């Protein structure tokens, strides 16, 4: 009886684990942010140079968001298409980092996309 009481007291105080565990999911970049923040005042983000290059190299590729495939009903070939999908691009590429599949964009590409979207998706 005394052994049961000691184990119960120790379990209650957290000194002894009785095998109760749980799962949780945390966003790594919220818990461990990348040092420094994106300074859009110093990050150039022009659609004609930066954003077009990111889309052509990572998104509008064969089998993905090109005109022929139109994956997920989204084509990302020209300014109109990319700017219309800006909210989705922010979510999938910048926040979730689930696009492009296989590996996220580089830090510089993410910064350029973020600054371009935050600037209101200018056609520059």
């Amino acid at each position: 009886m005394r052994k049961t009481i000691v184990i119960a007291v120790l379990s209650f105080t957290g000194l002894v684990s009785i095998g109760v565990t749980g799962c949780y999911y945390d966003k790594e970049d919220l818990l461990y942010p990348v040092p420094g923040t994106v300074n859009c005042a110093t990050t150039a983000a022009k659609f004609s140079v930066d954003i077009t290059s990111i889309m052509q190299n990572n998104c509008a590729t064969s089998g993905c968001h090109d005109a022929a495939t139109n994956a997920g009903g989204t084509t990302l070939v020209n300014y109109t298409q990319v700017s219309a999908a800006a909210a989705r691009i922010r979510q999938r590429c910048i926040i979730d980092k689930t696009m492009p599949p296989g590996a996220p964009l580089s830090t510089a590409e993410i910064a350029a996309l973020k600054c371009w979207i935050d600037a209101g998706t200018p056609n520059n």
Side-chain angles (χ1 to χ4, degrees):
M1 177 74 175
R2 180 181 163 115
K3 196 181 229 181
T4 304
I5 292 171
V6 170
I7 292 174
V9 170
L10 292 176
S11 295
F12 182 72
T13 61
L15 297 175
V16 173
S17 173
I18 57 172
V20 178
T21 61
C23 298
Y24 67 94
Y25 176 77
D26 288 325
K27 293 256 184 210
E28 180 180 81
D29 43 337
L30 294 176
L31 292 172
Y32 311 103
V34 176
T37 58
V38 176
N39 182 354
C40 291
T42 60
T43 301
K46 292 191 173 200
F47 180 79
S48 61
V49 179
D50 306 298
I51 307 308
T52 298
S53 175
I54 293 168
M55 293 297 126
Q56 288 175 348
N57 294 328
N58 299 285
C59 309
T61 58
S62 178
C64 289
H65 299 290
D66 62 338
T69 307
N70 194 26
T74 304
T75 302
L76 300 171
V77 175
N78 61 43
Y79 170 78
T80 303
Q81 295 162 339
V82 175
S83 64
R88 189 78 175 135
I89 292 169
R90 175 190 300 279
Q91 186 65 46
R92 298 293 303 272
C93 297
I94 299 170
I95 297 170
D96 295 342
K97 294 183 175 86
T98 57
M99 283 290 161
L105 298 173
S106 71
T107 303
E109 291 169 325
I110 290 171
L113 271 175
K114 181 186 180 317
C115 292
W116 178 73
I117 292 170
D118 288 351
T121 66
N123 189 2
N124 53 4

PDB file of all heavy atoms in Angstrom, residues 96-116:
ATOM      1  N   ASP A  96       3.957  28.398 -45.500  1.00  0.00           N
ATOM      2  CA  ASP A  96       3.993  26.938 -45.328  1.00  0.00           C
ATOM      3  C   ASP A  96       5.276  26.299 -45.868  1.00  0.00           C
ATOM      4  O   ASP A  96       5.674  25.233 -45.417  1.00  0.00           O
ATOM      5  CB  ASP A  96       2.806  26.279 -46.036  1.00  0.00           C
ATOM      6  CG  ASP A  96       1.473  26.668 -45.436  1.00  0.00           C
ATOM      7  OD1 ASP A  96       1.443  27.148 -44.291  1.00  0.00           O
ATOM      8  OD2 ASP A  96       0.447  26.491 -46.131  1.00  0.00           O
ATOM      9  N   LYS A  97       5.857  26.928 -46.870  1.00  0.00           N
ATOM     10  CA  LYS A  97       7.045  26.401 -47.564  1.00  0.00           C
ATOM     11  C   LYS A  97       6.787  24.997 -48.122  1.00  0.00           C
ATOM     12  O   LYS A  97       7.643  24.122 -48.054  1.00  0.00           O
ATOM     13  CB  LYS A  97       8.268  26.421 -46.638  1.00  0.00           C
ATOM     14  CG  LYS A  97       8.694  27.826 -46.264  1.00  0.00           C
ATOM     15  CD  LYS A  97       9.944  27.821 -45.422  1.00  0.00           C
ATOM     16  CE  LYS A  97      10.424  29.205 -45.156  1.00  0.00           C
ATOM     17  NZ  LYS A  97       9.829  29.864 -44.025  1.00  0.00           N
ATOM     18  N   THR A  98       5.592  24.810 -48.673  1.00  0.00           N
ATOM     19  CA  THR A  98       5.233  23.534 -49.281  1.00  0.00           C
ATOM     20  C   THR A  98       5.336  23.578 -50.801  1.00  0.00           C
ATOM     21  O   THR A  98       5.125  22.563 -51.457  1.00  0.00           O
ATOM     22  CB  THR A  98       3.799  23.125 -48.884  1.00  0.00           C
ATOM     23  OG1 THR A  98       2.894  24.163 -49.263  1.00  0.00           O
ATOM     24  CG2 THR A  98       3.705  22.858 -47.392  1.00  0.00           C
ATOM     25  N   MET A  99       5.632  24.721 -51.342  1.00  0.00           N
ATOM     26  CA  MET A  99       5.837  24.868 -52.783  1.00  0.00           C
ATOM     27  C   MET A  99       7.149  25.595 -52.985  1.00  0.00           C
ATOM     28  O   MET A  99       7.459  26.516 -52.238  1.00  0.00           O
ATOM     29  CB  MET A  99       4.711  25.679 -53.432  1.00  0.00           C
ATOM     30  CG  MET A  99       3.435  24.928 -53.646  1.00  0.00           C
ATOM     31  SD  MET A  99       3.688  23.703 -54.926  1.00  0.00           S
ATOM     32  CE  MET A  99       2.327  22.630 -54.605  1.00  0.00           C
ATOM     33  N   PRO A 100       7.888  25.215 -53.963  1.00  0.00           N
ATOM     34  CA  PRO A 100       7.688  24.079 -54.841  1.00  0.00           C
ATOM     35  C   PRO A 100       7.905  22.764 -54.090  1.00  0.00           C
ATOM     36  O   PRO A 100       8.611  22.736 -53.084  1.00  0.00           O
ATOM     37  CB  PRO A 100       8.735  24.269 -55.934  1.00  0.00           C
ATOM     38  CG  PRO A 100       9.774  25.143 -55.333  1.00  0.00           C
ATOM     39  CD  PRO A 100       9.090  25.975 -54.297  1.00  0.00           C
ATOM     40  N   PRO A 101       7.279  21.689 -54.592  1.00  0.00           N
ATOM     41  CA  PRO A 101       7.425  20.406 -53.908  1.00  0.00           C
ATOM     42  C   PRO A 101       8.877  19.933 -53.946  1.00  0.00           C
ATOM     43  O   PRO A 101       9.593  20.195 -54.879  1.00  0.00           O
ATOM     44  CB  PRO A 101       6.516  19.466 -54.706  1.00  0.00           C
ATOM     45  CG  PRO A 101       6.267  20.135 -55.999  1.00  0.00           C
ATOM     46  CD  PRO A 101       6.476  21.599 -55.795  1.00  0.00           C
ATOM     47  N   GLY A 102       9.262  19.284 -52.903  1.00  0.00           N
ATOM     48  CA  GLY A 102      10.623  18.754 -52.839  1.00  0.00           C
ATOM     49  C   GLY A 102      11.563  19.614 -52.028  1.00  0.00           C
ATOM     50  O   GLY A 102      12.298  19.113 -51.201  1.00  0.00           O
ATOM     51  N   ALA A 103      11.543  20.909 -52.253  1.00  0.00           N
ATOM     52  CA  ALA A 103      12.432  21.814 -51.513  1.00  0.00           C
ATOM     53  C   ALA A 103      11.858  23.214 -51.560  1.00  0.00           C
ATOM     54  O   ALA A 103      11.338  23.638 -52.589  1.00  0.00           O
ATOM     55  CB  ALA A 103      13.818  21.799 -52.119  1.00  0.00           C
ATOM     56  N   PRO A 104      11.941  23.939 -50.456  1.00  0.00           N
ATOM     57  CA  PRO A 104      11.431  25.311 -50.464  1.00  0.00           C
ATOM     58  C   PRO A 104      12.329  26.221 -51.295  1.00  0.00           C
ATOM     59  O   PRO A 104      13.439  25.859 -51.659  1.00  0.00           O
ATOM     60  CB  PRO A 104      11.462  25.708 -48.988  1.00  0.00           C
ATOM     61  CG  PRO A 104      12.493  24.843 -48.373  1.00  0.00           C
ATOM     62  CD  PRO A 104      12.469  23.550 -49.160  1.00  0.00           C
ATOM     63  N   LEU A 105      11.833  27.393 -51.574  1.00  0.00           N
ATOM     64  CA  LEU A 105      12.613  28.395 -52.281  1.00  0.00           C
ATOM     65  C   LEU A 105      13.783  28.840 -51.405  1.00  0.00           C
ATOM     66  O   LEU A 105      13.768  28.644 -50.188  1.00  0.00           O
ATOM     67  CB  LEU A 105      11.738  29.608 -52.610  1.00  0.00           C
ATOM     68  CG  LEU A 105      10.542  29.361 -53.529  1.00  0.00           C
ATOM     69  CD1 LEU A 105       9.673  30.605 -53.621  1.00  0.00           C
ATOM     70  CD2 LEU A 105      10.998  28.931 -54.912  1.00  0.00           C
ATOM     71  N   SER A 106      14.768  29.452 -52.017  1.00  0.00           N
ATOM     72  CA  SER A 106      15.906  29.966 -51.255  1.00  0.00           C
ATOM     73  C   SER A 106      15.455  31.157 -50.413  1.00  0.00           C
ATOM     74  O   SER A 106      14.397  31.748 -50.652  1.00  0.00           O
ATOM     75  CB  SER A 106      17.029  30.405 -52.197  1.00  0.00           C
ATOM     76  OG  SER A 106      16.650  31.596 -52.876  1.00  0.00           O
ATOM     77  N   THR A 107      16.257  31.528 -49.450  1.00  0.00           N
ATOM     78  CA  THR A 107      15.951  32.669 -48.593  1.00  0.00           C
ATOM     79  C   THR A 107      15.809  33.942 -49.423  1.00  0.00           C
ATOM     80  O   THR A 107      14.908  34.748 -49.186  1.00  0.00           O
ATOM     81  CB  THR A 107      17.059  32.848 -47.529  1.00  0.00           C
ATOM     82  OG1 THR A 107      17.159  31.628 -46.786  1.00  0.00           O
ATOM     83  CG2 THR A 107      16.754  33.980 -46.591  1.00  0.00           C
ATOM     84  N   ALA A 108      16.671  34.131 -50.404  1.00  0.00           N
ATOM     85  CA  ALA A 108      16.610  35.315 -51.265  1.00  0.00           C
ATOM     86  C   ALA A 108      15.331  35.326 -52.103  1.00  0.00           C
ATOM     87  O   ALA A 108      14.704  36.382 -52.282  1.00  0.00           O
ATOM     88  CB  ALA A 108      17.836  35.376 -52.165  1.00  0.00           C
ATOM     89  N   GLU A 109      14.931  34.171 -52.623  1.00  0.00           N
ATOM     90  CA  GLU A 109      13.700  34.090 -53.416  1.00  0.00           C
ATOM     91  C   GLU A 109      12.475  34.368 -52.548  1.00  0.00           C
ATOM     92  O   GLU A 109      11.557  35.070 -52.965  1.00  0.00           O
ATOM     93  CB  GLU A 109      13.588  32.712 -54.078  1.00  0.00           C
ATOM     94  CG  GLU A 109      14.614  32.479 -55.167  1.00  0.00           C
ATOM     95  CD  GLU A 109      14.661  31.036 -55.635  1.00  0.00           C
ATOM     96  OE1 GLU A 109      14.459  30.120 -54.808  1.00  0.00           O
ATOM     97  OE2 GLU A 109      14.924  30.830 -56.829  1.00  0.00           O
ATOM     98  N   ILE A 110      12.464  33.820 -51.345  1.00  0.00           N
ATOM     99  CA  ILE A 110      11.352  34.054 -50.422  1.00  0.00           C
ATOM    100  C   ILE A 110      11.273  35.535 -50.076  1.00  0.00           C
ATOM    101  O   ILE A 110      10.191  36.129 -50.064  1.00  0.00           O
ATOM    102  CB  ILE A 110      11.488  33.185 -49.162  1.00  0.00           C
ATOM    103  CG1 ILE A 110      11.242  31.720 -49.516  1.00  0.00           C
ATOM    104  CG2 ILE A 110      10.535  33.640 -48.063  1.00  0.00           C
ATOM    105  CD1 ILE A 110      11.560  30.726 -48.417  1.00  0.00           C
ATOM    106  N   ALA A 111      12.416  36.161 -49.824  1.00  0.00           N
ATOM    107  CA  ALA A 111      12.450  37.589 -49.495  1.00  0.00           C
ATOM    108  C   ALA A 111      11.920  38.420 -50.658  1.00  0.00           C
ATOM    109  O   ALA A 111      11.120  39.349 -50.462  1.00  0.00           O
ATOM    110  CB  ALA A 111      13.864  38.023 -49.135  1.00  0.00           C
ATOM    111  N   ALA A 112      12.335  38.103 -51.882  1.00  0.00           N
ATOM    112  CA  ALA A 112      11.866  38.840 -53.056  1.00  0.00           C
ATOM    113  C   ALA A 112      10.358  38.695 -53.232  1.00  0.00           C
ATOM    114  O   ALA A 112       9.651  39.684 -53.459  1.00  0.00           O
ATOM    115  CB  ALA A 112      12.602  38.365 -54.314  1.00  0.00           C
ATOM    116  N   LEU A 113       9.857  37.471 -53.112  1.00  0.00           N
ATOM    117  CA  LEU A 113       8.407  37.255 -53.226  1.00  0.00           C
ATOM    118  C   LEU A 113       7.641  38.016 -52.153  1.00  0.00           C
ATOM    119  O   LEU A 113       6.645  38.681 -52.435  1.00  0.00           O
ATOM    120  CB  LEU A 113       8.079  35.762 -53.107  1.00  0.00           C
ATOM    121  CG  LEU A 113       8.086  34.950 -54.380  1.00  0.00           C
ATOM    122  CD1 LEU A 113       7.854  33.475 -54.065  1.00  0.00           C
ATOM    123  CD2 LEU A 113       7.075  35.447 -55.370  1.00  0.00           C
ATOM    124  N   LYS A 114       8.114  37.928 -50.916  1.00  0.00           N
ATOM    125  CA  LYS A 114       7.446  38.598 -49.806  1.00  0.00           C
ATOM    126  C   LYS A 114       7.392  40.111 -50.039  1.00  0.00           C
ATOM    127  O   LYS A 114       6.345  40.729 -49.898  1.00  0.00           O
ATOM    128  CB  LYS A 114       8.147  38.295 -48.487  1.00  0.00           C
ATOM    129  CG  LYS A 114       7.473  38.955 -47.292  1.00  0.00           C
ATOM    130  CD  LYS A 114       8.266  38.761 -46.024  1.00  0.00           C
ATOM    131  CE  LYS A 114       7.627  39.400 -44.825  1.00  0.00           C
ATOM    132  NZ  LYS A 114       7.081  40.719 -45.018  1.00  0.00           N
ATOM    133  N   CYS A 115       8.515  40.689 -50.415  1.00  0.00           N
ATOM    134  CA  CYS A 115       8.557  42.139 -50.617  1.00  0.00           C
ATOM    135  C   CYS A 115       7.706  42.564 -51.804  1.00  0.00           C
ATOM    136  O   CYS A 115       7.038  43.605 -51.751  1.00  0.00           O
ATOM    137  CB  CYS A 115      10.001  42.608 -50.770  1.00  0.00           C
ATOM    138  SG  CYS A 115      10.934  42.439 -49.228  1.00  0.00           S
ATOM    139  N   TRP A 116       7.700  41.789 -52.850  1.00  0.00           N
ATOM    140  CA  TRP A 116       6.884  42.106 -54.030  1.00  0.00           C
ATOM    141  C   TRP A 116       5.407  42.040 -53.680  1.00  0.00           C
ATOM    142  O   TRP A 116       4.635  42.937 -54.014  1.00  0.00           O
ATOM    143  CB  TRP A 116       7.232  41.157 -55.177  1.00  0.00           C
ATOM    144  CG  TRP A 116       6.426  41.376 -56.411  1.00  0.00           C
ATOM    145  CD1 TRP A 116       6.533  42.412 -57.291  1.00  0.00           C
ATOM    146  CD2 TRP A 116       5.359  40.552 -56.887  1.00  0.00           C
ATOM    147  NE1 TRP A 116       5.601  42.276 -58.292  1.00  0.00           N
ATOM    148  CE2 TRP A 116       4.871  41.134 -58.074  1.00  0.00           C
ATOM    149  CE3 TRP A 116       4.777  39.365 -56.434  1.00  0.00           C
ATOM    150  CZ2 TRP A 116       3.830  40.581 -58.815  1.00  0.00           C
ATOM    151  CZ3 TRP A 116       3.754  38.813 -57.171  1.00  0.00           C
ATOM    152  CH2 TRP A 116       3.285  39.412 -58.337  1.00  0.00           C
TER     153      TRP A 116
END
